[in-house]
Amino acid sequence: MNKGKYYITTAIAYTSGTPHIGNSYEIVLADSIARFKRKDGYDVFFQTGTDEHGQKIELKAQDAGVTPKEFVDNVAGQIREICDSLNTSYDKFIRTTDDYHEKQVQKIFKKLYDKGDIYKGAYEGMYCTPCESFWTESQLVDGKCPDCGREVKPAKEEAYFFKMSKYADKLIEHINAHPEFIQPVSRKNEMMNNFLLPGLQDLCVSRTSFKWGIPVDFDDKHVVYVWLDALTNYITGIGFDADGNNTDQYKKLWPADLHLIGKDIIRFHTLYWPIFLMALDEPLPKQIFGHPWLLQGDGKMSKSKGNVIYADDLIQFFGVDAVRYFVLHEMPFENDGVITWDLMVERMNSDLANTLGNLVNRTISMSNKYFGGVVENKKVGVADGAEDVDADLWNVLTDTYTRVTKKMDDLRVADAMTEIFVLFKRCNKYIDETMPWALAKDEAQKDRLATVLYNLLNGILVGASLLEPYMPETAAKIAGQINAQLVDFEVLEECAKNQDTGRASALYPSGNKVTETPEILFARQDLNEVMEKVEAMFAERKAAAGVVEEEKEEVPENVIDIEPKEVISYDDFDKCQFRVGEILECKEVPKSKKLLCSQVRIGSSVKQILSGIKQHYSAEEMVGKKVMVLVNLQPREIAGMMSEGMLLCAEDADGNLALMTPEKMMPAGAEIC
């Protein structure tokens, strides 16, 4: 089955330093999409790589006492090692110092110059070295770079400029005609309202104040601006030629089906890049997805603090597939995700060790105990006398492919993984419902016991097959332990169309012999032990970097010092909607030590909100309280229940919580401003 080509790219990583886990998230996200598409019948080409030119790198190389090329060779090698350590299946790793790329950038620059889209002038403004961007005074935020918040310095130099405004109307027309072009929609609105509709300024596309870049071959005082250099990798990497002699690979793959990038560089990819392509008379990519950030929950990662988390750190603690699960599962579609050590341990123990690992282990163990490891399919359909509980499991099993595919089509990768774990949880529930240990005591129930264990092995096989794009090593281990080949998605797609009797979902080979000694897929972790190792690792890293702990000023009693977060703009804050809510009902969430589930009236609507405050408030005392609520938070499933907002609390140094309540009587729905 061939559903056609699928060309996916990540942004290329900037070689100014080793990327932390937040940067590495993107390559895992792209890999999971690429693997899924391959298994779903697409001819996939997956490109990633490194961005290696610019003033920032030139300065870092000087500080390190090496040439820029030596510097980027070293960092690019580290970045590629990280990609490989995370088991990513890229087809092409491009470097912007590759000879073919550099020659094509020069040809592209000359072509656009000859066309009149690039002209020579002079630039004067405020310059941000880390972003390598010029800004006018009006564009600065509190006198600093609007992109990164760092200091800017006045600069003036001769430069070449690209006529952005020439193509602005055409780009607006394209975006309006193709609502899927920029995702999520909030990113599209930001680009339209903040940049395109107010009017684009011409873009500086060359520099003379440093030399580490691709020379403009007809004016060697200039090097090509880093974004014109970097963005074109998406076409040079597959054989684009500015003279028109494109390779067969380029003709096959372009336009790209998906550019996957971080939200911080959305402007460059959704404004500059499409306009460059228009000027080259090349088709635009089909979709650009600006994913959110993966943040460290216990404070901003900083080398000076010695608390930066790298991919190999997490792999050492938890293993490759567990790390892939963490970063994919904890990232919402549109809002920033948070990763903490205690959350990773919790996911390891609950989702991976318990829900998945324990399911596989005890199913194999029961197969060995009751049937010597050989389980035959006795009753595969309703017509054969299967029970209702079997049919319910089959329905979940056969629907999972469809649900996962729908989530993946919408790039909701975390939600797709959740759907797979719904199947694993249903298998665990099936064990509780059928009680194989009880059936084993009755010889007359032997065929029924065989059916139950077969259905479990079948469910595990389907779940592992769907899990393969996200956790490939784990899927392969499961298949090996149950002695079966992972199922092609084409087969699962066919099963979804024929799920009436359960016969179509009988995919596990009847009569197989499972392994005699099942391997523990994921070992449970002790949080205290993990944190001891983490603290030792960070202490060692600080010592190696020569970091000295600063003496803190004495803090007055009843005052808590805080770790400042990233500064946000008024526009960011304005997106949050806070209201007064009244708690109508409240109950404890089953099997949770922390969660209460409240029904909160906000104006004429009622929202269900889960809060981790059970240790501080009883369900009974919550009823009737007026509370402060963040109401426009994206709904999220927690402990199998949907939560549609957040109750605001304060926490002291001892971990005591207090709900934030209005000082005066206020109606439910009153705006907090």
Side-chain angles (χ1 to χ4, degrees):
M1 177 176 60
N2 189 334
K3 295 183 177 180
K5 68 91 179 174
Y6 190 85
Y7 178 31
I8 178 174
T9 74
T10 68
I12 50 178
Y14 198 45
T15 48
S16 58
T18 307
H20 56 64
I21 189 62
N23 304 132
S24 303
Y25 156 73
E26 185 176 298
I27 189 73
V28 179
L29 178 65
D31 181 66
S32 67
I33 296 170
R35 286 178 181 272
F36 188 90
K37 289 293 185 180
R38 286 193 196 101
K39 193 160 183 179
D40 206 30
Y42 289 87
D43 183 6
V44 173
F45 191 85
F46 171 21
Q47 178 169 298
T48 189
T50 45
D51 175 7
E52 303 186 12
H53 294 121
Q55 185 178 27
K56 186 176 181 180
I57 289 172
E58 186 174 85
L59 294 173
K60 281 184 169 289
Q62 289 174 5
D63 292 341
V66 297
T67 67
K69 186 62 165 64
E70 289 172 332
F71 184 87
V72 298
D73 283 349
N74 177 53
V75 177
Q78 294 176 27
I79 292 171
R80 189 161 190 167
E81 286 176 4
I82 289 172
C83 293
D84 293 341
S85 70
L86 288 165
N87 196 12
T88 57
S89 59
Y90 56 85
D91 298 289
K92 168 89 173 183
F93 190 97
I94 188 172
R95 297 179 59 185
T96 57
T97 52
D98 289 344
D99 184 63
Y100 181 83
H101 173 79
E102 290 192 341
K103 288 180 178 177
Q104 284 302 319
V105 169
Q106 289 178 321
K107 290 167 71 172
I108 289 169
F109 195 99
K110 184 65 163 58
K111 181 175 183 177
L112 297 178
Y113 176 78
D114 291 341
K115 191 176 180 180
D117 288 335
I118 290 179
Y119 64 93
K120 195 172 188 178
Y123 204 104
E124 183 173 9
M126 306 304 292
Y127 184 69
C128 175
T129 299
C131 294
E132 306 206 18
S133 298
F134 275 103
W135 304 100
T136 64
E137 290 282 358
S138 62
Q139 291 174 316
L140 301 179
V141 177
D142 296 328
K144 296 181 179 180
C145 173
D147 273 356
C148 71
R150 294 183 177 93
E151 297 292 337
V152 293
K153 296 180 179 180
K156 181 178 181 179
E157 64 180 277
E158 180 183 273
Y160 285 92
F161 293 84
F162 185 94
K163 296 179 180 178
M164 300 294 289
S165 57
K166 176 179 176 181
Y167 297 93
D169 289 343
K170 187 176 180 181
L171 180 56
I172 292 171
E173 181 181 338
H174 180 84
I175 292 172
N176 287 332
H178 299 83
E180 76 289 349
F181 179 59
I182 304 174
Q183 290 294 318
V185 174
S186 59
R187 312 271 188 258
K188 180 194 78 171
N189 295 338
E190 179 187 354
M191 293 302 103
M192 290 286 281
N193 297 331
N194 294 352
F195 297 99
L196 272 173
L197 296 179
L200 291 178
Q201 296 181 351
D202 288 352
L203 179 68
C204 176
V205 291
S206 79
R207 300 295 307 281
T208 60
S209 57
F210 61 91
K211 290 299 182 183
W212 181 239
I214 300 174
V216 175
D217 55 0
F218 59 88
D219 192 347
D220 60 9
K221 289 191 304 180
H222 292 257
V223 294
V224 178
Y225 170 70
V226 66
W227 282 107
L228 182 59
D229 166 12
L231 290 165
T232 51
N233 90 90
Y234 302 127
I235 54 177
T236 64
I238 55 173
F240 171 80
D241 179 65
D243 293 334
N245 300 314
N246 299 323
T247 65
D248 290 341
Q249 184 184 49
Y250 179 78
K251 294 173 185 176
K252 170 187 173 182
L253 294 176
W254 194 257
D257 294 270
L258 178 64
H259 286 324
L260 193 66
I261 57 162
K263 65 178 183 178
D264 53 325
I265 53 174
I266 189 81
R267 184 174 82 255
F268 306 105
H269 285 78
T270 58
L271 303 183
Y272 301 170
W273 178 227
I275 285 177
F276 292 158
L277 288 168
M278 288 176 177
L280 292 169
D281 297 315
E282 294 296 319
L284 304 195
K286 295 179 182 178
Q287 190 169 67
I288 302 168
F289 180 72
H291 64 75
W293 289 337
L294 184 64
L295 304 175
Q296 184 171 331
D298 51 353
K300 189 174 182 180
M301 283 182 267
S302 167
K303 289 185 179 179
S304 64
K305 296 178 184 176
N307 70 340
V308 179
I309 302 176
Y310 298 102
D312 54 350
D313 294 334
L314 297 184
I315 291 170
Q316 182 180 349
F317 276 89
F318 304 108
V320 175
D321 271 14
V323 175
R324 288 174 63 101
Y325 180 79
F326 297 151
V327 298
L328 292 172
H329 186 268
E330 298 310 313
M331 181 63 77
F333 174 70
E334 189 167 355
N335 301 318
D336 292 338
V338 175
I339 189 168
T340 63
W341 290 98
D342 56 345
L343 179 61
M344 287 185 281
V345 170
E346 180 184 336
R347 293 289 184 229
M348 184 76 168
N349 293 343
S350 61
D351 297 1
L352 300 182
N354 190 24
T355 299
L356 175 56
N358 192 40
L359 168 67
V360 175
N361 189 279
R362 61 178 176 164
T363 299
I364 293 174
S365 296
M366 287 189 292
S367 300
N368 281 309
K369 181 177 181 180
Y370 302 135
F371 293 101
V374 179
V375 177
E376 295 185 75
N377 186 10
K378 296 294 185 179
K379 297 177 181 178
V380 299
V382 174
D384 300 318
E387 299 184 10
D388 290 345
V389 68
D390 302 338
D392 186 67
L393 176 62
W394 293 332
N395 287 335
V396 173
L397 183 149
T398 51
D399 283 345
T400 302
Y401 166 80
T402 303
R403 295 197 304 272
V404 170
T405 302
K406 175 64 172 65
K407 299 297 185 185
M408 292 299 291
D409 287 344
D410 294 335
L411 300 178
R412 295 183 178 272
V413 177
D415 295 337
M417 295 181 72
T418 296
E419 293 291 353
I420 298 169
F421 273 76
V422 167
L423 172 57
F424 291 137
K425 289 176 182 177
R426 184 65 189 85
C427 289
N428 279 312
K429 183 182 177 183
Y430 182 77
I431 293 176
D432 295 336
E433 292 168 332
T434 56
M435 297 187 293
W437 53 89
L439 295 173
K441 296 177 181 178
D442 185 353
E443 185 64 25
Q445 294 289 335
K446 190 169 184 178
D447 282 356
R448 176 59 186 157
L449 177 60
T451 296
V452 166
L453 291 177
Y454 175 84
N455 287 339
L456 286 169
L457 289 167
N458 194 48
I460 289 169
L461 176 61
V462 171
S465 301
L466 288 165
L467 192 65
E468 186 182 18
Y470 317 97
M471 303 172 69
E473 289 184 358
T474 299
K477 287 180 180 178
I478 293 172
Q481 291 194 43
I482 63 176
N483 189 26
Q485 295 292 320
L486 294 171
V487 180
D488 291 336
F489 281 4
E490 183 177 10
V491 175
L492 297 181
E493 188 173 5
E494 188 63 29
C495 287
K497 298 175 183 177
N498 300 280
Q499 61 182 33
D500 53 336
T501 65
R503 291 179 182 277
S505 61
L507 303 176
Y508 182 75
S510 178
N512 263 15
K513 189 178 191 307
V514 301
T515 184
E516 293 181 5
T517 54
E519 176 189 353
I520 300 297
L521 294 174
F522 299 98
R524 293 180 63 84
Q525 303 276 338
D526 180 270
L527 178 58
N528 292 329
E529 292 179 3
V530 169
M531 292 311 301
E532 285 180 9
K533 294 177 182 177
V534 169
E535 289 167 5
M537 177 182 71
F538 285 159
E540 182 180 343
R541 198 171 286 170
K542 285 180 182 180
V547 176
V548 179
E549 293 286 348
E550 296 181 3
E551 290 188 13
K552 294 186 177 181
E553 295 182 8
E554 186 175 343
V555 179
E557 191 176 355
N558 296 326
V559 174
I560 299 175
D561 196 10
I562 63 169
E563 178 71 33
K565 292 186 177 181
E566 179 184 357
V567 175
I568 65 172
S569 68
Y570 280 97
D571 288 339
D572 289 330
F573 178 75
D574 194 49
K575 295 176 183 177
C576 298
Q577 187 176 27
F578 300 96
R579 300 277 181 177
V580 173
E582 181 180 4
I583 298 180
L584 303 179
E585 299 177 24
C586 185
K587 61 182 180 180
E588 296 184 354
V589 175
K591 299 181 181 180
S592 172
K593 297 179 180 179
K594 299 180 179 180
L595 293 173
L596 294 179
C597 178
S598 302
Q599 304 299 321
V600 186
R601 184 172 66 192
I602 301 153
S604 59
S605 65
V606 176
K607 288 181 176 287
Q608 177 170 284
I609 299 177
L610 274 67
S611 308
I613 58 175
K614 192 195 296 188
Q615 295 174 342
H616 307 276
Y617 292 90
S618 68
E620 293 77 14
E621 68 180 304
M622 290 287 288
V623 177
K625 283 186 178 294
K626 292 286 185 67
V627 291
M628 297 184 183
V629 186
L630 175 59
V631 297
N632 64 331
L633 191 63
Q634 181 179 347
R636 186 175 184 182
E637 183 176 325
I638 304 173
M641 304 175 71
M642 292 304 298
S643 183
E644 303 173 294
M646 180 182 293
L647 305 186
L648 302 187
C649 297
E651 182 179 16
D652 67 16
D654 297 323
N656 298 310
L657 288 182
L659 284 163
M660 293 290 94
T661 60
E663 180 187 8
K664 298 179 180 179
M665 290 298 297
M666 298 295 291
E671 183 175 7
I672 299 172
C673 54

